[in-house]
Every structure is written in structure tokens, then in C-alpha cells.
Amino acid sequence: VQLVESGGGLAQAGGSLRLSCAASGFRFANYAIGWFRQAPGKEREGVSCIAPSDGTTYYADSVKGRFTASSDNTKNMVYLQMNSLTPEDTAVYYCAAIFDRRGYGSAWYLTHRHYTNWGQGTQVTVSL
């Protein structure tokens, strides 16, 4: 399993960034892909998750209405469109994959301890 994030960088408050996660080495449709972030001194937190098989998405309350997860199943790619960014969104963002057993709710999919396959992360910095 290999996951490679890209698209991080510097944005101003109110701006937008789009993160990409390239997945390989596993059957894409059988997995859920989560987005997580970790700011210095803070625990890793779940941001979003998408099941590429049917497009089901989950979001943390802190990003609902601002972030949108999507997938391109022909390319084994997952994206996180981040709008209306604030300095509180500054963190290293990771994508992660988990075999999707279905039947679980948002809280399960957004818990980082459930994931065993991780990308290397990409830095997102939002300035005032």
C-alpha cells in the first residue's frame, strides 16, 4: 500500500488549497480514504473520509461546509478541496487508507487509530 500526498503550501486566510492523495498497491474500491491533520503539540485529528466505491463522505464538524472530499476512481486519486481557510487549519495533512468494512459511522472513519496505511504528509500553512 502506498499513499502520496501533494498540494500543500501557503495560503492566506479565506483562501483555498486542494490536496491530492495518490493511492497504489491495493484495490481502491475496497478501501476508505481518510484525511487527517496534525498541528504542532496537538493530537492527530480526522478531517474527512471518503469511500470511493460509492462516494460516501464524512467530515469533522470543524470543516463541514468548507472542505470537500472527492475521488477519481479511474486514477486511484482522492482530493481534499479546502476553502475558507483559517490559521486554525494550519497543520501537516495526511491521507490514510483502511479496508472498508461498512456499517460504521462518521466517528469510526475519522479516528486515526483505525488506520494502518499512511502517506508521508503535506504541510498546509494559513496566514492572516
Side-chain angles (χ1 to χ4, degrees):
V1 174
Q2 187 173 18
L3 300 164
V4 180
E5 304 95 336
S6 61
L10 180 64
Q12 288 190 324
S16 299
L17 285 173
R18 189 176 84 151
L19 305 183
S20 299
C21 174
S24 61
F26 59 97
R27 190 176 177 87
F28 194 61
N30 289 349
Y31 281 71
I33 308 298
W35 285 99
F36 297 82
R37 65 186 182 187
Q38 190 165 20
K42 294 188 176 181
E43 187 174 356
R44 192 167 297 190
E45 65 168 337
V47 174
S48 178
C49 180
I50 183 168
S53 60
D54 62 7
T56 300
T57 54
Y58 306 93
Y59 298 98
D61 288 343
S62 58
V63 305
K64 278 181 183 175
R66 300 189 300 123
F67 290 11
T68 303
S70 62
S71 68
D72 183 339
N73 294 2
T74 66
K75 298 179 180 178
N76 283 13
M77 294 289 296
V78 171
Y79 305 99
L80 185 68
Q81 178 66 43
M82 306 186 296
N83 298 330
S84 302
L85 287 164
T86 74
E88 288 69 37
D89 295 317
T90 295
V92 178
Y93 283 71
Y94 301 87
C95 64
I98 189 169
F99 184 78
D100 192 2
R101 291 179 173 84
R102 308 301 181 93
Y104 296 103
S106 175
W108 189 87
Y109 284 103
L110 296 180
T111 299
H112 67 87
R113 296 180 186 86
H114 295 152
Y115 290 75
T116 56
N117 305 291
W118 292 85
Q120 83 288 352
T122 185
Q123 176 71 46
V124 171
T125 303
V126 183
S127 63
L128 287 170

